[in-house]
């Protein structure tokens, strides 16, 4: 994976599912404001729902996904699927170190 943005942020569960005991519920990390600004500036035309295509690495796991606008923070959130959380040995509330790069830079 080429250059990207590396940051550490807490893993959180989508609020509509917080009461669920389902460990496969959607979990996310919120991009820090400086990273969100770089993503916004470098991504070109947004895709559906304002998403931006990215390549992500967490530990030894790399995958292609999208980040999505977050109306609460004005930034972006990154979905982290169950398989990645299991491979990294993390759960909701843990700090997660992420390296993210744009797949379609402007």
């Amino acid at each position: 994976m080429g250059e990207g943005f590396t940051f550490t942020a807490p893993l959180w569960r989508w609020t509509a599912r917080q009461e669920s005991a389902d460990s496969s519920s959607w979990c996310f990390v919120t991009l820090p404001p400086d990273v969100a600004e770089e993503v916004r500036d470098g991504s070109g035309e947004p895709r559906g729902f304002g998403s931006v295509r990215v390549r992500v690495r967490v530990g030894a796991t790399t995958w292609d996904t999208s980040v999505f606008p977050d109306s609460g923070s004005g930034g972006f959130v990154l979905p982290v699927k169950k398989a990645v959380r299991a491979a990294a040995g993390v759960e909701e509330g843990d700090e997660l170190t992420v390296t993210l790069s744009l797949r379609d830079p402007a």
Side-chain angles (χ1 to χ4, degrees), residues 11 31 42 48-51 56 67 69 72 84-85 88 95 98 101:
L11 186 66
L31 277 61
F49 301 105
S51 65
V56 181
V67 292
V84 172
R85 299 189 316 261
E95 294 285 320
V98 174
S101 62

Side-chain angles (χ1 to χ4, degrees), residues 27-90:
C27 287
F28 299 85
V29 293
T30 301
L31 277 61
D34 59 327
V35 173
E37 185 175 331
E38 293 278 349
V39 166
R40 188 176 291 107
D41 291 347
S43 64
E45 189 68 27
R47 299 173 58 81
F49 301 105
S51 65
V52 176
R53 292 172 13 127
V54 295
R55 176 160 290 140
V56 181
R57 184 178 66 234
V58 170
T61 306
T62 300
W63 77 101
D64 291 335
T65 189
S66 295
V67 292
F68 297 89
D70 175 36
S71 60
S73 70
F76 291 94
V77 295
L78 167 70
V80 182
K81 57 189 173 181
K82 183 178 181 180
V84 172
R85 299 189 316 261
V90 296

